[in-house]
């Protein structure tokens, strides 16, 4: 058997039922193998999809972790900038206060001295003594001096009168 009949399953001496059963079994085995291969391919596809999904989930988790890390870093950097800003402001305030105190330390005594010299600050007892007691005392002294002067003039006149009376008699 050669040529066209070489591939023909029916050969002389082979029963037709056996050929049909063999071909059917062969076809069934081919279909089962194809189904198994398809099942394997689906399983591999499913496994690949699961792996891909797991990698995608892991990638998303890592990206989210990186995003949170960057946000935390930005937040801390902002906090650090704020702390540095507050420290700089505090240093400026301290320097301004020191400058003001230094400036005022010389200014305050000179202002108080000038005000004291101009009579804005005074001792009430001294002012009362100078304003009331001393003028009263001076008026009393002047009055007494007037009496003393009058007394001297009178004593001088008495002495002169007595001397005048004694001198002519001698």
């Amino acid at each position: 058997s050669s040529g066209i009949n070489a591939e023909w399953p029916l050969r002389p001496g082979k029963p037709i039922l056996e050929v049909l059963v063999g071909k059917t079994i062969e076809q069934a085995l081919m279909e089962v193998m194809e189904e198994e291969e398809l099942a394997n391919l689906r399983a591999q596809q499913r496994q690949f999809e699961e792996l891909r999904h797991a990698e995608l989930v892991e990638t998303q988790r890592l990206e989210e972790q990186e995003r949170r890390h960057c946000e935390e870093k930005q937040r801390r950097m902002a906090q650090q900038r704020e702390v540095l800003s507050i420290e700089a402001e505090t240093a400026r305030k301290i320097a301004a206060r020191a400058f003001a105190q230094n400036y005022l330390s010389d200014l305050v005594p000179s202002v108080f001295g000038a005000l004291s010299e101009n009579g804005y600050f005074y001792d009430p007892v001294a002012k009362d003594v100078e304003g009331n007691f001393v003028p009263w005392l001076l008026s009393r002294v002047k009055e007494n001096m007037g009496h003393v002067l009058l007394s001297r003039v009178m004593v001088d006149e008495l002495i002169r009168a007595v001397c005048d009376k004694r001198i002519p008699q001698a």
Side-chain angles (χ1 to χ4, degrees):
S1 294
S2 65
I4 296 177
N5 289 336
E7 292 183 24
W8 182 251
L10 293 177
R11 292 193 194 123
K14 228 176 180 184
I16 199 159
L17 184 60
E18 187 179 316
V19 171
L20 283 175
V21 168
K23 279 294 188 186
T24 303
I25 289 176
E26 187 179 324
Q27 184 67 30
L29 284 175
M30 290 297 277
E31 287 178 11
V32 166
M33 285 173 49
E34 282 179 19
E35 286 178 10
E36 284 179 359
E37 189 175 335
L38 283 175
N40 284 339
L41 285 174
R42 280 189 209 108
Q44 285 178 352
Q45 182 74 23
R46 205 172 25 254
Q47 189 178 18
F48 175 76
E49 290 295 326
E50 287 174 359
L51 181 63
R52 187 169 151 231
H53 180 70
E55 287 176 351
L56 181 63
V57 166
E58 180 65 14
T59 301
Q60 289 172 344
R61 184 188 69 78
L62 291 174
E63 287 174 350
E64 181 63 21
Q65 181 181 5
E66 180 65 22
R67 184 189 63 79
R68 284 192 312 268
H69 178 70
C70 285
E71 286 176 357
E72 179 67 18
K73 183 177 178 183
Q74 292 297 326
R75 185 182 64 78
R76 288 188 183 193
M77 287 173 61
Q79 282 178 339
Q80 186 63 27
R81 281 191 298 271
E82 186 176 336
V83 165
L84 291 174
S85 172
I86 289 171
E87 287 176 355
E89 181 66 23
T90 303
R92 280 193 298 274
K93 286 180 180 179
I94 289 170
R97 183 171 186 210
F99 174 77
Q101 284 178 339
N102 188 30
Y103 180 74
L104 292 177
S105 69
D106 296 336
L107 184 65
V108 170
S110 67
V111 168
F112 277 117
L115 290 175
S116 292
E117 288 173 8
N118 291 328
Y120 288 100
F121 300 116
Y122 57 87
D123 182 12
V125 173
K127 184 172 179 153
D128 190 36
V129 166
E130 290 173 5
N132 295 327
F133 179 71
V134 171
W136 174 82
L137 183 62
L138 287 176
S139 69
R140 295 294 299 198
V141 166
K142 188 176 177 184
E143 187 180 314
N144 283 341
M145 289 302 286
H147 291 292
V148 167
L149 187 60
L150 181 62
S151 299
R152 280 189 183 166
V153 169
M154 288 173 69
V155 167
D156 285 345
E157 284 299 319
L158 281 174
I159 293 175
R160 191 174 294 129
V162 168
C163 283
D164 284 343
K165 283 186 184 182
R166 284 194 182 173
I167 292 183
Q169 296 176 353

